[in-house]
Amino acid sequence: MYGALLGDLIGSPWEFNRIKHERFDIFSPLCAYTDDSIMTVAVADALLHNTAPASSMRAWAQRFKPQRGGYGAIFWVWLNNPDDEPYGSAGNGGAMRVSAAAMLGKTLDDALEKATLATSCTHDHHLGLNAALATTQAIWMAKNKASQGQIKTALEETYRYDLSRPYEIVQRACFHSELAIPSVPEAITCALQSTSFEDCMRKVVALGGDSDTQAAIAGPIAEMLWGIPDVFMQELRTRIPTEMLAVIDGLYIRE
């Protein structure tokens, strides 16, 4: 979904240059897509065409190299060994790439089933898988006009996430982590306490955490809550390869 790719772009300059304030340029020459966008497209392509997510991720990793950042070491080994089994990841990468499942799911159960398929090939640890499911549920509920409060209550009840802390407290406690806990609840909190898409992006970057991945997680939720400003879409279409955009465009055609 567009919000995931935009989140990746907007967060990319700050992953290793972390800040704790919202006074930054949303788009700068340093904004570039990372492995997060490539894997989001790979999962979308698999779900659109009913192919194996693992095969699609490996194929897209060969087609495009990240402009910034790179793949995690263990995930990179998995990508390059087609016979590898899931490796028990409790990281946030499953949640980052799963937004297409929410877009294509006709029901919540259907969306969660698609998310499980796209995630369990790597993130079969319950924390990693639950993070992907919670992200999918948040996006799907927002897409279906649930309020921020309704989404918060549902995720707290289903996944036992603490989404009640004020943003300022979450920001103060945040540190760079690629684990699903704490980074995914932090990202979801930014979306659920935002007032616009841009506000959500500024909140995520100002956490000072794993900014590109957390923004890719929060971005689709904020997109469904608030929509995306036209100027953001213009930036997206100048910064993401047409082949990748064509896949994401296909999600909206299928809607």
Side-chain angles (χ1 to χ4, degrees), residues 23-111:
R23 304 179 305 278
F24 63 93
D25 292 335
I26 285 284
F27 294 104
S28 77
L30 296 177
C31 291
Y33 66 84
T34 77
D35 55 297
D36 295 3
S37 289
I38 299 169
M39 290 299 101
T40 296
V41 171
V43 168
D45 192 25
L47 295 179
L48 277 166
H49 299 103
N50 197 30
T51 60
S55 297
S56 184
M57 284 188 275
R58 290 178 170 119
W60 279 91
Q62 292 299 315
R63 289 179 66 182
F64 289 95
K65 307 303 180 187
Q67 292 179 321
R68 291 186 69 87
Y71 297 99
I74 299 176
F75 184 70
W76 180 247
V77 170
W78 178 88
L79 278 175
N80 287 281
N81 290 276
D83 296 327
D84 270 12
E85 298 293 327
Y87 53 90
S89 177
N92 57 19
M96 160 274 292
R97 68 188 189 220
V98 81
S99 52
M103 192 69 169
L104 294 173
K106 299 185 185 304
T107 65
L108 177 57
D109 285 345
D110 183 32

Side-chain angles (χ1 to χ4, degrees), residues 74 78 84-91 93-94 97 115-133:
I74 299 176
W78 178 88
D84 270 12
E85 298 293 327
Y87 53 90
S89 177
R97 68 188 189 220
T116 300
L117 176 68
T119 305
S120 58
C121 54
T122 53
H123 293 62
D124 54 339
H125 189 285
H126 72 279
L127 293 179
L129 180 56
N130 277 352
L133 296 178

